[in-house]
Structures are given as structure tokens and as C-alpha cells.
Amino acid sequence: MLLKDKVALVTGSRRGIGKVIALKLAEEGADLIINDIEVNDNDDVIQEIRALGRKALAVSADITNKNDVIEMVEKALKEFSKIDILVNNAGIYPAHPFLEISEAEWDKVIDVNLKGTFLVTQVVASMAMTKANYGKIVNIASVDGKVPTLGITHYAAAKAGVISLTKSFAIELCQYNINSNAVAPGWVESETVLKGDRWKEAIKRIPSGRLGKLEEIAHAIVFLVRDESSYINGEILDVNGAIYMD
């Protein structure tokens, strides 16, 4: 097991890609803190992690509220005494033409996707990782943060901010033996993507000819948080089927 006895916090992990990430980390030996707006011991992700022989703590918290974030980290530290790995996965993906985006929608997208990543990382780093002189941070960015497409101005701006935050975290936190990297997925088989029609046109532009699998994103995260990848810092790892390369 690559992550035996590590403790990982994954935001937005009750379902979807966050759940897949959490389960993959558990398969590799990590114990998990599962966060979402609402999550409890009866949720499938908690039961599936425990079935793998790993510990799982459910913590409901709004990542855009600093007091919620502090309470979440306090609960995690009380249970596990440490947080080795942080995956900032929580995010929302509304699609509207630029001229139709309301101020309220703009604020919500920026709050969840960008402010939430900042707050959780700041609190986890200050309360846990810097004290342990160890940490692995992976932020979920997006190909849209590098090359925006139509209808997602607010989402693309937030993910571009996540890319910048990732690099700032790397510079600011490397003195504490903390690595900060990001995975930038392209079009993947997520519930959010598949419930719309935009992917049907996008897939024509993907050289690999298909959508990415959620497990492929999770595998990339495992690669970045293992100790063997410790000299990788500030990297934005593209996982997009060659739709964009830099």
C-alpha cells in the first residue's frame, strides 16, 4: 500500500469524483476524513471505506465559512491527530453565457471553487501540516482554467485562480516540507458533465476520442501524494486526453 497509515481529508467527497478519490486513497492504505455540506455515517462512501479496513470520519462543513472549516479540522485532529494529505475537490460547475451570469452566481462559484480552496488549505496547513513538518496538497483545477470554453466564464476564472493558488502554496509552504500540486482534468464522466449536452460536442475535439474516467483522476492524485513524488511541487498535472498540452 502506497499510503499506509496516512490520513487524508477530501472535500466534497460524499459522492461523485470526490467519492472516487477518497476510495482510491483508502485502497492505498489511507484513513479518510470525508467532508461535504451534509454527510454522515450512513452514507455509502463511509461504509465502503470501512469495508476496505480503513477508518472514515464524516464531517459536515461549508468550506466557504472559516468557522466551519476550523471546526472540521479540529474534529479531524481529535480523531486522527494529524492530516497528511489534503485534496481540495469541492466545487460547482454551472454553465451560463457570460452576459447572463448574475452577480449572485458569480459570487457562489468563486466562493466554493476558489475561496473554499484557500480557506481549507490555510486552516489545514496552520493547524496540522506545518506543526508536523509534513503535508501533501492536491487541488482539483481544470483544463478550463487554462483554456476557457463558452459558457463558463466564472468557473474558468475560479479554476485559473486555483492554479495560481497551487503555485503560491508551493512557494509559501515548501519550507515546512509541504508539497502543493494540482490535477487539471479535461472532460470526464462525472454526473455534472453527463447530465448536460456540452460534452457531446467537446468529445469531437478530444484526440483520445473519449471522456476521462473518474478513476483516472484519482490515480493521478495518488501519484502526487505518495512520498516518491516529493520533489514535484507547484505542478499542474493535465489529465485531459491531449485536448490541451503545455
Side-chain angles (χ1 to χ4, degrees), residues 3 9 11 14 26 31 34 54 75 85 92 109 121 126 128 131-132 141 151 153 162 166 172 193 234 238 241-242:
L3 305 175
L9 165 59
T11 64
R14 179 173 174 262
D31 295 322
I34 299 299
R54 308 311 307 170
K75 290 176 182 177
I85 296 165
I92 54 175
V109 170
T121 304
S126 62
K131 291 179 173 23
T153 298
V162 169
T166 300
E172 296 269 358
V193 168
D238 293 317

Side-chain angles (χ1 to χ4, degrees), residues 14-174:
R14 179 173 174 262
R15 59 185 178 84
I17 189 171
K19 177 183 176 182
V20 174
I21 292 166
L23 288 172
K24 179 55 63 178
L25 295 174
E27 287 173 8
E28 294 295 344
D31 295 322
L32 270 297
I33 301 126
I34 299 299
N35 156 258
D36 222 302
I37 286 288
E38 292 185 6
V39 61
N40 59 62
D41 277 358
N42 295 320
D43 284 312
D44 290 345
V45 62
I46 299 293
Q47 300 304 316
E48 290 175 38
I49 290 168
R50 290 174 179 169
L52 291 169
R54 308 311 307 170
K55 297 177 182 177
L57 174 69
V59 185
S60 300
D62 177 357
I63 63 166
T64 69
N65 182 301
K66 189 168 185 177
N67 288 332
D68 268 20
V69 174
I70 291 172
E71 289 179 9
M72 172 177 67
V73 174
E74 287 175 342
K75 290 176 182 177
L77 292 176
K78 182 178 180 180
E79 178 73 17
F80 295 114
S81 301
K82 63 175 184 172
I83 300 173
D84 300 300
I85 296 165
L86 168 62
V87 181
N88 284 303
N89 164 75
I92 54 175
Y93 181 74
H96 290 105
F98 166 64
L99 296 177
E100 299 176 12
I101 297 172
S102 68
E103 182 178 0
E105 184 175 310
W106 168 271
D107 288 346
K108 185 174 182 179
V109 170
I110 297 299
D111 276 357
V112 175
N113 293 335
L114 186 59
K115 179 183 176 182
T117 297
F118 164 76
L119 286 178
V120 175
T121 304
Q122 186 184 59
V123 173
V124 170
S126 62
M127 292 179 63
M129 291 181 173
T130 56
K131 291 179 173 23
N133 201 46
Y134 180 89
K136 304 289 185 182
I137 299 165
V138 179
N139 301 318
I140 304 301
S142 171
V143 65
D144 294 310
K146 296 185 175 185
V147 281
T149 52
L150 290 170
I152 54 166
T153 298
H154 42 0
Y155 177 81
K159 290 302 185 178
V162 169
I163 289 171
S164 181
L165 278 181
T166 300
K167 297 176 180 180
S168 292
F169 296 161
I171 294 170
E172 296 269 358
L173 299 174
C174 63

